[in-house]
Amino acid sequence: MTERSPATMRHRVLAVVVDSAIGGAVVAVVSGVVVTLSVLTAGAVSLFALLPAVSTASVVWFLLHTAMQGARGSIGMRFMGLRLEHAADDAGLGFGRALGRNLVWALTGSVIVGFFSPLFDASRWRRGWHDLAVGAVMTDAVPVAAPRRPAPIERVPVAAVAVSAPPVPVVERVASVPAAAPAPSLAPVVTTAPAAPVVIADPEPKDESRPDPAWAPASVSPSRGIPRTLPVDVISTIPGVPHRDGRPASVEQVAPPVIAILRWDDGTRHTVYDASLFGRGPGQQEGRRSVPVRDETLSLSKTHFEIRADEQGSWVVDRHSLNGVVIVRGGQPQRLLPGQPARIWSGDVLELGDRRLTVESAR
């Protein structure tokens, strides 16, 4: 069974809107045809036929819509890239289960609260009462590629190389004054200086007690422009790079260690240097940074999780959030216990309700 990705709530709502609009268009077309025939036939086609015609069109559309849901998906689901599947496997739902699901949805929706039942499920699947009744899940039909671990950077030692410079011609001008000549003349004489070897020595031995940050470049030319995409507090701490205020670079400067580099499902990246709290609006806490995250899916809590590090590596802690934190490693999901730290590695994926966070780099 292949790894499945749950559909976002926004895509599910848009799929229902598209299917409802198509159903409304079908009813409108049938009603228009009946009214037009009644007018053209001067009442021979009674307007009382409008109700059975509309009812028949609605039932036909409902059955057709249900059959498409149980197979490859309705028009709205195909447009949004969604698919209904069994909760136990990735097989299609089938007409019978799809019909039961729609009937339960219609009955629970009659009391309004049934429309919001998917919000009561704290898991990442957001299964409503109609999904639970028939054992269905709404998945994303587009497969998500597993994150690839970056290849380690191999350091190549620099050996001492002796380069012999080519002979440098030296031009000397010698004054030659003939006896009969009224004025002196200068004759160029070319001599060759001995070649001097140029030796490139080994670089200064590395101090093992001082860590070498993985994100810092091995060597930076002072004349090279500094990218503006780097954080301001990092530019002035890269060894060998001048400060913004013009002060010379110092070899004593050491860049702050990076705890983790995180990438959200919308492409936003966060470089974590200190213990940090993430959420829609985390409060201030001593010794920790507050990192607010924009979340239109409302999957994140006000203070959802924490990223920190120690001598052993980087850790994530669920700060008693509503949707919790699930670590997916090697395709195997594992839900965290609130308040209990868990080690994170490069390539891990954190599922936070409908949001996904990839750990691009960790200690």
Side-chain angles (χ1 to χ4, degrees), residues 285-308:
Q285 187 172 347
E286 184 178 358
R288 289 171 174 79
R289 292 180 180 268
S290 296
V291 183
V293 180
R294 183 178 179 182
D295 178 34
E296 298 178 354
T297 65
L298 301 180
S299 296
L300 301 182
S301 300
K302 184 178 180 181
T303 302
H304 200 106
F305 66 95
E306 174 187 352
I307 297 292
R308 65 191 187 202

PDB file of all heavy atoms in Angstrom, residues 285-308:
ATOM      1  N   GLN A 285       8.212  33.916  26.124  1.00  0.00           N
ATOM      2  CA  GLN A 285       8.669  33.052  27.195  1.00  0.00           C
ATOM      3  C   GLN A 285      10.173  33.216  27.340  1.00  0.00           C
ATOM      4  O   GLN A 285      10.905  33.232  26.339  1.00  0.00           O
ATOM      5  CB  GLN A 285       8.316  31.591  26.902  1.00  0.00           C
ATOM      6  CG  GLN A 285       8.613  30.650  28.064  1.00  0.00           C
ATOM      7  CD  GLN A 285       8.077  29.250  27.799  1.00  0.00           C
ATOM      8  OE1 GLN A 285       7.303  29.041  26.877  1.00  0.00           O
ATOM      9  NE2 GLN A 285       8.486  28.300  28.617  1.00  0.00           N
ATOM     10  N   GLU A 286      10.637  33.348  28.548  1.00  0.00           N
ATOM     11  CA  GLU A 286      12.045  33.616  28.801  1.00  0.00           C
ATOM     12  C   GLU A 286      12.904  32.469  28.277  1.00  0.00           C
ATOM     13  O   GLU A 286      12.626  31.294  28.509  1.00  0.00           O
ATOM     14  CB  GLU A 286      12.283  33.802  30.295  1.00  0.00           C
ATOM     15  CG  GLU A 286      13.717  34.181  30.648  1.00  0.00           C
ATOM     16  CD  GLU A 286      13.898  34.406  32.136  1.00  0.00           C
ATOM     17  OE1 GLU A 286      12.890  34.296  32.880  1.00  0.00           O
ATOM     18  OE2 GLU A 286      15.028  34.684  32.547  1.00  0.00           O
ATOM     19  N   GLY A 287      13.974  32.846  27.570  1.00  0.00           N
ATOM     20  CA  GLY A 287      14.896  31.864  27.021  1.00  0.00           C
ATOM     21  C   GLY A 287      14.456  31.248  25.713  1.00  0.00           C
ATOM     22  O   GLY A 287      15.143  30.361  25.201  1.00  0.00           O
ATOM     23  N   ARG A 288      13.328  31.696  25.129  1.00  0.00           N
ATOM     24  CA  ARG A 288      12.839  31.124  23.871  1.00  0.00           C
ATOM     25  C   ARG A 288      12.358  32.229  22.948  1.00  0.00           C
ATOM     26  O   ARG A 288      11.778  33.207  23.411  1.00  0.00           O
ATOM     27  CB  ARG A 288      11.702  30.122  24.127  1.00  0.00           C
ATOM     28  CG  ARG A 288      12.173  28.835  24.784  1.00  0.00           C
ATOM     29  CD  ARG A 288      11.004  27.981  25.205  1.00  0.00           C
ATOM     30  NE  ARG A 288      11.416  26.681  25.703  1.00  0.00           N
ATOM     31  CZ  ARG A 288      11.883  26.470  26.918  1.00  0.00           C
ATOM     32  NH1 ARG A 288      11.975  27.499  27.779  1.00  0.00           N
ATOM     33  NH2 ARG A 288      12.243  25.256  27.298  1.00  0.00           N
ATOM     34  N   ARG A 289      12.592  32.026  21.674  1.00  0.00           N
ATOM     35  CA  ARG A 289      12.085  32.949  20.659  1.00  0.00           C
ATOM     36  C   ARG A 289      10.646  32.584  20.300  1.00  0.00           C
ATOM     37  O   ARG A 289      10.277  31.416  20.336  1.00  0.00           O
ATOM     38  CB  ARG A 289      12.948  32.921  19.393  1.00  0.00           C
ATOM     39  CG  ARG A 289      14.348  33.479  19.580  1.00  0.00           C
ATOM     40  CD  ARG A 289      15.122  33.396  18.278  1.00  0.00           C
ATOM     41  NE  ARG A 289      16.459  33.920  18.415  1.00  0.00           N
ATOM     42  CZ  ARG A 289      16.799  35.186  18.169  1.00  0.00           C
ATOM     43  NH1 ARG A 289      15.868  36.044  17.772  1.00  0.00           N
ATOM     44  NH2 ARG A 289      18.051  35.586  18.312  1.00  0.00           N
ATOM     45  N   SER A 290       9.857  33.584  19.933  1.00  0.00           N
ATOM     46  CA  SER A 290       8.483  33.363  19.488  1.00  0.00           C
ATOM     47  C   SER A 290       8.428  33.548  17.976  1.00  0.00           C
ATOM     48  O   SER A 290       8.804  34.606  17.464  1.00  0.00           O
ATOM     49  CB  SER A 290       7.520  34.338  20.183  1.00  0.00           C
ATOM     50  OG  SER A 290       7.499  34.110  21.569  1.00  0.00           O
ATOM     51  N   VAL A 291       7.997  32.516  17.253  1.00  0.00           N
ATOM     52  CA  VAL A 291       7.947  32.534  15.788  1.00  0.00           C
ATOM     53  C   VAL A 291       6.495  32.364  15.350  1.00  0.00           C
ATOM     54  O   VAL A 291       5.970  31.246  15.336  1.00  0.00           O
ATOM     55  CB  VAL A 291       8.823  31.426  15.175  1.00  0.00           C
ATOM     56  CG1 VAL A 291       8.812  31.528  13.653  1.00  0.00           C
ATOM     57  CG2 VAL A 291      10.237  31.495  15.709  1.00  0.00           C
ATOM     58  N   PRO A 292       5.788  33.454  15.022  1.00  0.00           N
ATOM     59  CA  PRO A 292       4.409  33.311  14.527  1.00  0.00           C
ATOM     60  C   PRO A 292       4.392  32.774  13.098  1.00  0.00           C
ATOM     61  O   PRO A 292       5.232  33.134  12.277  1.00  0.00           O
ATOM     62  CB  PRO A 292       3.867  34.743  14.595  1.00  0.00           C
ATOM     63  CG  PRO A 292       5.079  35.614  14.513  1.00  0.00           C
ATOM     64  CD  PRO A 292       6.202  34.856  15.158  1.00  0.00           C
ATOM     65  N   VAL A 293       3.440  31.880  12.807  1.00  0.00           N
ATOM     66  CA  VAL A 293       3.327  31.242  11.492  1.00  0.00           C
ATOM     67  C   VAL A 293       1.940  31.536  10.940  1.00  0.00           C
ATOM     68  O   VAL A 293       0.927  31.324  11.622  1.00  0.00           O
ATOM     69  CB  VAL A 293       3.542  29.710  11.590  1.00  0.00           C
ATOM     70  CG1 VAL A 293       3.423  29.073  10.211  1.00  0.00           C
ATOM     71  CG2 VAL A 293       4.902  29.410  12.196  1.00  0.00           C
ATOM     72  N   ARG A 294       1.893  32.024   9.718  1.00  0.00           N
ATOM     73  CA  ARG A 294       0.602  32.278   9.063  1.00  0.00           C
ATOM     74  C   ARG A 294      -0.041  30.952   8.668  1.00  0.00           C
ATOM     75  O   ARG A 294       0.578  30.122   7.997  1.00  0.00           O
ATOM     76  CB  ARG A 294       0.809  33.143   7.823  1.00  0.00           C
ATOM     77  CG  ARG A 294      -0.485  33.520   7.125  1.00  0.00           C
ATOM     78  CD  ARG A 294      -0.209  34.422   5.937  1.00  0.00           C
ATOM     79  NE  ARG A 294      -1.442  34.767   5.247  1.00  0.00           N
ATOM     80  CZ  ARG A 294      -1.494  35.523   4.151  1.00  0.00           C
ATOM     81  NH1 ARG A 294      -0.357  36.006   3.640  1.00  0.00           N
ATOM     82  NH2 ARG A 294      -2.646  35.798   3.585  1.00  0.00           N
ATOM     83  N   ASP A 295      -1.279  30.744   9.091  1.00  0.00           N
ATOM     84  CA  ASP A 295      -1.948  29.453   8.874  1.00  0.00           C
ATOM     85  C   ASP A 295      -3.401  29.715   8.508  1.00  0.00           C
ATOM     86  O   ASP A 295      -4.222  30.039   9.362  1.00  0.00           O
ATOM     87  CB  ASP A 295      -1.849  28.581  10.128  1.00  0.00           C
ATOM     88  CG  ASP A 295      -2.568  27.254   9.956  1.00  0.00           C
ATOM     89  OD1 ASP A 295      -2.568  26.735   8.825  1.00  0.00           O
ATOM     90  OD2 ASP A 295      -3.136  26.754  10.934  1.00  0.00           O
ATOM     91  N   GLU A 296      -3.719  29.562   7.220  1.00  0.00           N
ATOM     92  CA  GLU A 296      -5.094  29.764   6.762  1.00  0.00           C
ATOM     93  C   GLU A 296      -5.966  28.535   7.002  1.00  0.00           C
ATOM     94  O   GLU A 296      -7.190  28.626   6.931  1.00  0.00           O
ATOM     95  CB  GLU A 296      -5.095  30.118   5.268  1.00  0.00           C
ATOM     96  CG  GLU A 296      -4.362  31.414   4.950  1.00  0.00           C
ATOM     97  CD  GLU A 296      -4.343  31.712   3.464  1.00  0.00           C
ATOM     98  OE1 GLU A 296      -4.805  30.836   2.691  1.00  0.00           O
ATOM     99  OE2 GLU A 296      -3.881  32.803   3.080  1.00  0.00           O
ATOM    100  N   THR A 297      -5.357  27.388   7.251  1.00  0.00           N
ATOM    101  CA  THR A 297      -6.139  26.166   7.479  1.00  0.00           C
ATOM    102  C   THR A 297      -6.596  26.024   8.924  1.00  0.00           C
ATOM    103  O   THR A 297      -7.352  25.100   9.236  1.00  0.00           O
ATOM    104  CB  THR A 297      -5.313  24.933   7.097  1.00  0.00           C
ATOM    105  OG1 THR A 297      -4.179  24.827   7.988  1.00  0.00           O
ATOM    106  CG2 THR A 297      -4.784  25.050   5.663  1.00  0.00           C
ATOM    107  N   LEU A 298      -6.100  26.896   9.808  1.00  0.00           N
ATOM    108  CA  LEU A 298      -6.439  26.843  11.241  1.00  0.00           C
ATOM    109  C   LEU A 298      -6.036  25.503  11.856  1.00  0.00           C
ATOM    110  O   LEU A 298      -6.659  25.017  12.794  1.00  0.00           O
ATOM    111  CB  LEU A 298      -7.934  27.105  11.469  1.00  0.00           C
ATOM    112  CG  LEU A 298      -8.471  28.449  10.973  1.00  0.00           C
ATOM    113  CD1 LEU A 298      -9.954  28.571  11.264  1.00  0.00           C
ATOM    114  CD2 LEU A 298      -7.707  29.601  11.605  1.00  0.00           C
ATOM    115  N   SER A 299      -4.966  24.897  11.322  1.00  0.00           N
ATOM    116  CA  SER A 299      -4.472  23.634  11.873  1.00  0.00           C
ATOM    117  C   SER A 299      -3.567  23.861  13.076  1.00  0.00           C
ATOM    118  O   SER A 299      -3.467  22.997  13.946  1.00  0.00           O
ATOM    119  CB  SER A 299      -3.710  22.855  10.795  1.00  0.00           C
ATOM    120  OG  SER A 299      -4.563  22.482   9.740  1.00  0.00           O
ATOM    121  N   LEU A 300      -2.878  25.009  13.108  1.00  0.00           N
ATOM    122  CA  LEU A 300      -1.923  25.267  14.175  1.00  0.00           C
ATOM    123  C   LEU A 300      -2.612  25.888  15.376  1.00  0.00           C
ATOM    124  O   LEU A 300      -3.531  26.709  15.240  1.00  0.00           O
ATOM    125  CB  LEU A 300      -0.812  26.199  13.680  1.00  0.00           C
ATOM    126  CG  LEU A 300       0.022  25.716  12.492  1.00  0.00           C
ATOM    127  CD1 LEU A 300       1.092  26.727  12.156  1.00  0.00           C
ATOM    128  CD2 LEU A 300       0.641  24.359  12.787  1.00  0.00           C
ATOM    129  N   SER A 301      -2.156  25.527  16.551  1.00  0.00           N
ATOM    130  CA  SER A 301      -2.620  26.159  17.784  1.00  0.00           C
ATOM    131  C   SER A 301      -1.854  27.461  17.998  1.00  0.00           C
ATOM    132  O   SER A 301      -0.908  27.782  17.283  1.00  0.00           O
ATOM    133  CB  SER A 301      -2.414  25.214  18.971  1.00  0.00           C
ATOM    134  OG  SER A 301      -3.135  24.012  18.797  1.00  0.00           O
ATOM    135  N   LYS A 302      -2.290  28.228  19.022  1.00  0.00           N
ATOM    136  CA  LYS A 302      -1.604  29.486  19.305  1.00  0.00           C
ATOM    137  C   LYS A 302      -0.137  29.236  19.604  1.00  0.00           C
ATOM    138  O   LYS A 302       0.742  29.924  19.090  1.00  0.00           O
ATOM    139  CB  LYS A 302      -2.290  30.195  20.473  1.00  0.00           C
ATOM    140  CG  LYS A 302      -1.697  31.555  20.779  1.00  0.00           C
ATOM    141  CD  LYS A 302      -2.440  32.229  21.908  1.00  0.00           C
ATOM    142  CE  LYS A 302      -1.831  33.593  22.214  1.00  0.00           C
ATOM    143  NZ  LYS A 302      -2.531  34.269  23.339  1.00  0.00           N
ATOM    144  N   THR A 303       0.162  28.276  20.465  1.00  0.00           N
ATOM    145  CA  THR A 303       1.529  27.795  20.672  1.00  0.00           C
ATOM    146  C   THR A 303       1.500  26.300  20.409  1.00  0.00           C
ATOM    147  O   THR A 303       1.016  25.530  21.236  1.00  0.00           O
ATOM    148  CB  THR A 303       2.012  28.087  22.106  1.00  0.00           C
ATOM    149  OG1 THR A 303       1.931  29.492  22.357  1.00  0.00           O
ATOM    150  CG2 THR A 303       3.452  27.618  22.283  1.00  0.00           C
ATOM    151  N   HIS A 304       2.010  25.891  19.223  1.00  0.00           N
ATOM    152  CA  HIS A 304       1.810  24.508  18.780  1.00  0.00           C
ATOM    153  C   HIS A 304       2.980  23.601  19.181  1.00  0.00           C
ATOM    154  O   HIS A 304       2.773  22.547  19.778  1.00  0.00           O
ATOM    155  CB  HIS A 304       1.641  24.468  17.267  1.00  0.00           C
ATOM    156  CG  HIS A 304       0.976  23.216  16.782  1.00  0.00           C
ATOM    157  ND1 HIS A 304      -0.333  23.177  16.344  1.00  0.00           N
ATOM    158  CD2 HIS A 304       1.417  21.938  16.685  1.00  0.00           C
ATOM    159  CE1 HIS A 304      -0.664  21.945  15.998  1.00  0.00           C
ATOM    160  NE2 HIS A 304       0.407  21.172  16.184  1.00  0.00           N
ATOM    161  N   PHE A 305       4.224  23.996  18.861  1.00  0.00           N
ATOM    162  CA  PHE A 305       5.353  23.124  19.153  1.00  0.00           C
ATOM    163  C   PHE A 305       6.595  23.972  19.410  1.00  0.00           C
ATOM    164  O   PHE A 305       6.621  25.179  19.160  1.00  0.00           O
ATOM    165  CB  PHE A 305       5.606  22.130  18.011  1.00  0.00           C
ATOM    166  CG  PHE A 305       6.042  22.764  16.723  1.00  0.00           C
ATOM    167  CD1 PHE A 305       7.389  22.871  16.398  1.00  0.00           C
ATOM    168  CD2 PHE A 305       5.110  23.257  15.835  1.00  0.00           C
ATOM    169  CE1 PHE A 305       7.784  23.460  15.213  1.00  0.00           C
ATOM    170  CE2 PHE A 305       5.497  23.847  14.645  1.00  0.00           C
ATOM    171  CZ  PHE A 305       6.838  23.949  14.339  1.00  0.00           C
ATOM    172  N   GLU A 306       7.618  23.302  19.898  1.00  0.00           N
ATOM    173  CA  GLU A 306       8.891  23.956  20.241  1.00  0.00           C
ATOM    174  C   GLU A 306      10.030  23.181  19.595  1.00  0.00           C
ATOM    175  O   GLU A 306      10.006  21.953  19.524  1.00  0.00           O
ATOM    176  CB  GLU A 306       9.071  23.994  21.758  1.00  0.00           C
ATOM    177  CG  GLU A 306      10.434  24.522  22.203  1.00  0.00           C
ATOM    178  CD  GLU A 306      10.643  24.388  23.696  1.00  0.00           C
ATOM    179  OE1 GLU A 306       9.672  24.029  24.409  1.00  0.00           O
ATOM    180  OE2 GLU A 306      11.778  24.623  24.162  1.00  0.00           O
ATOM    181  N   ILE A 307      11.025  23.920  19.082  1.00  0.00           N
ATOM    182  CA  ILE A 307      12.252  23.337  18.548  1.00  0.00           C
ATOM    183  C   ILE A 307      13.408  23.806  19.430  1.00  0.00           C
ATOM    184  O   ILE A 307      13.573  25.010  19.661  1.00  0.00           O
ATOM    185  CB  ILE A 307      12.507  23.762  17.089  1.00  0.00           C
ATOM    186  CG1 ILE A 307      11.388  23.254  16.172  1.00  0.00           C
ATOM    187  CG2 ILE A 307      13.855  23.248  16.607  1.00  0.00           C
ATOM    188  CD1 ILE A 307      11.341  21.761  16.007  1.00  0.00           C
ATOM    189  N   ARG A 308      14.206  22.861  19.935  1.00  0.00           N
ATOM    190  CA  ARG A 308      15.353  23.205  20.756  1.00  0.00           C
ATOM    191  C   ARG A 308      16.452  22.179  20.503  1.00  0.00           C
ATOM    192  O   ARG A 308      16.256  21.213  19.753  1.00  0.00           O
ATOM    193  CB  ARG A 308      14.969  23.242  22.232  1.00  0.00           C
ATOM    194  CG  ARG A 308      14.553  21.895  22.824  1.00  0.00           C
ATOM    195  CD  ARG A 308      13.952  22.067  24.191  1.00  0.00           C
ATOM    196  NE  ARG A 308      13.697  20.785  24.851  1.00  0.00           N
ATOM    197  CZ  ARG A 308      12.826  20.628  25.818  1.00  0.00           C
ATOM    198  NH1 ARG A 308      12.132  21.663  26.266  1.00  0.00           N
ATOM    199  NH2 ARG A 308      12.650  19.433  26.374  1.00  0.00           N
TER     200      ARG A 308
END
